[in-house]
Amino acid sequence: MNANEANEANGFEFDNISNTAFEELQMIEQQRQDELLRSQQTSASTPRNVNPNPRQVVQRPIRPPKRAKTSSGRGGVSLAGGRRRTRTEFQEDIVGLGKRTSPVWDHFTIVPEKDDNDVVISLHAVCRHCKNTDYRAEGHYGTSNCRNHLKSCEPYQEWLAKNGDLIEAIMYHGYPLSMVEHKFTRKLHRYLNPKVKNISRSTITRWCMRKNSKLRKMLFETLKDLDSKVSLTCDIWTACTSRGYLTLTAHYIDKDWCLKSKVLNFCHFPPPSTGHAIYELVYAMIKDWGLESKVMCMTVDNATNNDSMIPLLQECLNDGLKAIDPAVTLVRDNVKYIDSSEARMNRFRDFYTEPDYTFKLTDREWESVENMASILEPFYEMTNLFSGSDYPTANLYFEQVCKAKYHLRRACESEDACIREMGN
Ligand SMILES: [Zn+2]
């Protein structure tokens, strides 16, 4: 692999190098050349200085000699002609200076060492946790020194316990916080790392809360910068301990067009769980996250208290959440009523004709519902067609979009005001 290929493989773009960096590197390189030439003149008589394979020199650009060795290696010979390095050859060094893919670099700061003329002569890796190391950090020195240091660096081990895998495991898998005090968990940790320090439940709680507030801040910033609207789902349920809980989840499309779902709030929700109480809590949460103008729709389960919460929220959130035709609500109530037991389902026709049945629709409402169904049915079919996963959907796109446009235009011309509004 030559230098170009190596750089391509590293995903490095040559054009990204700034001129200043290039000039600085040229100066470093000039210094190296002078130094190597000098050292070569002093030891030119020894035959091992002669490069046995000059072709290799072209393929592998010159690198600075390692500190431990004398400068009489292959690099010295390649510079015998005193030629200046090409831009391509500099590139490899810049890859070494700039591109750090190894995760160890999260824990080391790269400190450049400069000479009297303010020219960078070497790079050093200093541990961010103990500030005690001084390893060479040019790309070709590798990362084994740094990795070995982390294994024995006590501040790093402490940091790892505070910020790392244990908190993630607890938060993502929902382990009880008391797991850190469990006898056999501690035994396992000791087996993996004999130097591990055991922590208490209160400590891990504190660390988890710290991590939580950090993540909340990040999510807040993400939502603030979001271009798309946010849809919410809200769920209330009673746990086996008979305490009520409320969860508010946001669903949105991020800048990379990926659908994201994030739990915004999860909290204890004591009775009474009336519509007004839910509204007050949910609206406070929405306000807290700065989402008042970004909510597109909200999905809740079919509890009656939610029915009274939604209109209250609608008043507050101007955008989104459009009015639902009362006839549709009646149809939903009917479905809810007959769905709740098999006996009701069987006798639906009988009691629907009774005069005191609550969810009865007038002829006008039936007509409205039928119109709406005829408009919405093609969209339902289109959605099903597009969401198929075992056949290609791209070829169906144009035809279905045309159909959608046709149906929307038909809806705009409808006599029913509600359908006209939907079409618009
Ligand atoms: Zn350290």
Side-chain angles (χ1 to χ4, degrees), residues 127 129-131 133 149 153:
C127 174
H129 304 282
C130 65
K131 314 257 187 292
T133 64
H149 168 76
C153 176

Side-chain angles (χ1 to χ4, degrees), residues 74-127:
R74 192 168 46 197
V77 177
S78 66
L79 282 170
R83 72 177 174 90
R84 291 174 69 86
R85 301 181 82 193
T86 62
R87 261 187 104 102
T88 318
E89 283 167 345
F90 275 117
Q91 223 176 310
E92 195 176 67
D93 268 356
I94 299 165
V95 172
L97 291 173
K99 198 171 169 65
R100 306 280 167 174
T101 48
S102 165
V104 295
W105 295 115
D106 294 342
H107 308 288
F108 285 86
T109 312
I110 296 169
V111 182
E113 187 188 337
K114 295 183 177 178
D115 65 3
D116 299 339
N117 300 325
D118 211 28
V119 173
V120 179
I121 49 170
S122 59
L123 299 170
H124 300 266
V126 178
C127 174

Side-chain angles (χ1 to χ4, degrees), residues 52-287:
N53 183 3
R55 281 187 65 200
Q56 265 194 342
V57 175
V58 184
Q59 288 178 338
R60 297 192 55 176
I62 312 106
R63 286 174 164 172
K66 291 190 180 179
R67 196 176 254 180
K69 293 178 184 172
T70 57
S71 51
S72 57
R74 192 168 46 197
V77 177
S78 66
L79 282 170
R83 72 177 174 90
R84 291 174 69 86
R85 301 181 82 193
T86 62
R87 261 187 104 102
T88 318
E89 283 167 345
F90 275 117
Q91 223 176 310
E92 195 176 67
D93 268 356
I94 299 165
V95 172
L97 291 173
K99 198 171 169 65
R100 306 280 167 174
T101 48
S102 165
V104 295
W105 295 115
D106 294 342
H107 308 288
F108 285 86
T109 312
I110 296 169
V111 182
E113 187 188 337
K114 295 183 177 178
D115 65 3
D116 299 339
N117 300 325
D118 211 28
V119 173
V120 179
I121 49 170
S122 59
L123 299 170
H124 300 266
V126 178
C127 174
R128 286 185 190 173
H129 304 282
C130 65
K131 314 257 187 292
N132 254 343
T133 64
D134 184 14
Y135 301 122
R136 290 297 291 271
E138 286 88 343
H140 56 274
Y141 277 93
T143 54
S144 5
N145 276 337
C146 300
R147 265 185 286 130
N148 287 338
H149 168 76
L150 288 181
K151 280 181 202 161
S152 58
C153 176
E154 271 189 34
Y156 167 72
Q157 296 296 339
E158 272 172 36
W159 174 89
L160 202 64
K162 274 185 198 167
N163 297 282
D165 304 341
L166 189 58
I167 299 174
E168 269 179 14
I170 288 175
M171 289 174 94
Y172 283 88
H173 302 300
Y175 295 137
L177 292 162
S178 57
M179 78 170 281
V180 294
E181 289 178 351
H182 291 171
K183 189 175 150 192
F184 289 101
T185 311
R186 287 189 164 180
K187 196 178 160 193
L188 171 72
H189 290 168
R190 252 198 320 281
Y191 168 72
L192 294 170
N193 180 3
K195 285 184 179 174
V196 74
K197 275 185 195 165
N198 289 326
I199 49 166
S200 67
R201 188 165 43 174
S202 58
T203 313
I204 194 76
T205 311
R206 213 170 50 240
W207 291 351
C208 284
M209 291 314 289
R210 207 181 296 159
K211 176 96 178 173
N212 174 272
S213 59
K214 208 167 142 187
L215 291 173
R216 278 176 73 93
K217 258 183 216 155
M218 277 164 65
L219 182 59
F220 186 83
E221 290 303 316
T222 314
L223 293 175
K224 204 170 84 181
D225 300 339
L226 205 65
D227 296 328
S228 75
K229 292 267 180 187
V230 176
S231 297
L232 300 172
T233 47
C234 173
D235 195 15
I236 301 163
W237 78 100
T238 311
C240 55
T241 52
S242 72
R243 276 165 74 93
Y245 290 94
L246 182 144
T247 318
L248 186 68
T249 314
H251 311 268
Y252 60 90
I253 292 168
D254 71 0
K255 284 180 181 135
D256 302 320
W257 287 90
C258 296
L259 177 65
K260 300 272 176 185
S261 295
K262 302 276 178 192
V263 175
L264 298 183
N265 292 83
F266 176 82
C267 63
H268 175 46
F269 185 61
S273 34
T274 58
H276 198 264
I278 305 171
Y279 148 73
E280 274 190 340
L281 186 62
V282 171
Y283 185 59
M285 287 170 176
I286 294 173
K287 233 170 126 183

